[in-house]
Amino acid sequence: MQGAPRSGSFDFETLMNAQPFTGARYTTHHMGMGFELADEGEVYMICQGSGGGYGDVLERDPEAVTADVEAGYLSQETAREVYFVVYDPSTLAVDQAATEAARAGERQARLGRGRPYRDFVNEWVTPEPPQHLPYYGSWGDDNSTIHATAWTTQGPVRVSGPMNQLPQIMLPDPNLLALAAQQARIAELEARLQKLDSQ
């Protein structure tokens, strides 16, 4: 990169498919990782989904929804099942009356699915996250002590203590763990083959 900084196109698709830097290692990682240590000369590219926007999906202009379908931003299923827009899939022409009827039906269905806020909170809010989650961050009302879940080779473990005494919490990429296990197996088989060849 120092010798030819403009030798690569810095978009995900080109970088991962063309792999313009000779001798470089190209990997992908899950965005749920807490953080990743970077060395000088490494290129890190991060893609993150944007927020859902503001307002009720049933209030979105149906023409704007089909424009997003045409541009590839939304799937046809999302347009039909989330935005409740009825349209001709071949021309993307919106059927206004059918869309209004579909949206009115969904509003009625929402009323049937609804429940009092207190009931929702009582079911959803718990003192701590489920034990099986590999990483959840900190929780609890005690600000002097951090409670968190860390991922180890033995699985998730709960850690507690002042922030400055906690270990770094990193979530290893499952793909890298699987690759490391396979590389270890290959090394084991190669060693076994060399032993047989020497006999």
Side-chain angles (χ1 to χ4, degrees):
M1 292 216 24
Q2 285 181 332
R6 291 182 169 74
S7 63
S9 172
F10 290 94
D11 66 84
F12 290 107
E13 184 178 0
T14 304
L15 195 66
M16 294 305 290
N17 288 318
Q19 299 189 358
F21 301 107
T22 306
R25 184 169 61 97
Y26 295 83
T27 62
T28 59
H29 304 265
H30 189 275
M31 282 301 299
M33 297 180 72
F35 62 89
E36 186 72 13
L37 301 175
D39 290 328
E40 184 177 349
E42 290 184 331
V43 175
Y44 275 73
M45 300 178 79
I46 299 172
C47 178
Q48 191 166 351
S50 62
Y54 295 98
D56 188 339
V57 290
L58 300 183
E59 299 296 326
R60 182 135 194 258
D61 177 5
E63 301 287 346
V65 173
T66 55
D68 282 351
V69 171
E70 185 175 26
Y73 301 142
L74 290 177
S75 69
Q76 292 199 11
E77 293 79 14
T78 299
R80 285 192 309 269
E81 298 169 15
V82 174
Y83 291 90
F84 289 84
V85 174
V86 180
Y87 60 94
D88 182 328
S90 59
T91 64
L92 299 180
V94 175
D95 183 331
Q96 293 290 347
T99 295
E100 288 175 20
R103 287 180 165 185
E106 173 57 14
R107 286 186 181 95
Q108 285 301 311
R110 286 177 176 181
L111 292 174
R113 294 191 304 265
R115 57 192 166 137
Y117 181 70
R118 179 178 292 143
D119 294 348
F120 165 77
V121 169
N122 286 338
E123 179 184 321
W124 183 259
V125 177
T126 59
E128 64 180 63
Q131 189 71 32
H132 69 277
L133 289 178
Y135 178 74
Y136 197 83
S138 60
W139 61 84
D141 295 328
D142 180 3
N143 293 328
S144 65
T145 301
I146 301 297
H147 307 280
T149 301
W151 187 259
T152 70
T153 53
Q154 289 77 39
V157 295
R158 296 290 164 96
V159 293
S160 295
M163 176 61 98
N164 62 359
Q165 294 178 11
L166 286 180
Q168 293 179 344
I169 299 174
M170 298 181 70
L171 190 63
D173 182 0
N175 293 325
L176 293 179
L177 293 176
L179 179 61
Q182 295 210 354
Q183 287 173 332
R185 178 68 175 147
I186 289 169
E188 175 191 331
L189 293 173
E190 285 178 340
R192 190 182 302 175
L193 183 61
Q194 284 181 345
K195 186 175 180 181
L196 288 173
D197 285 345
S198 65
Q199 292 176 351

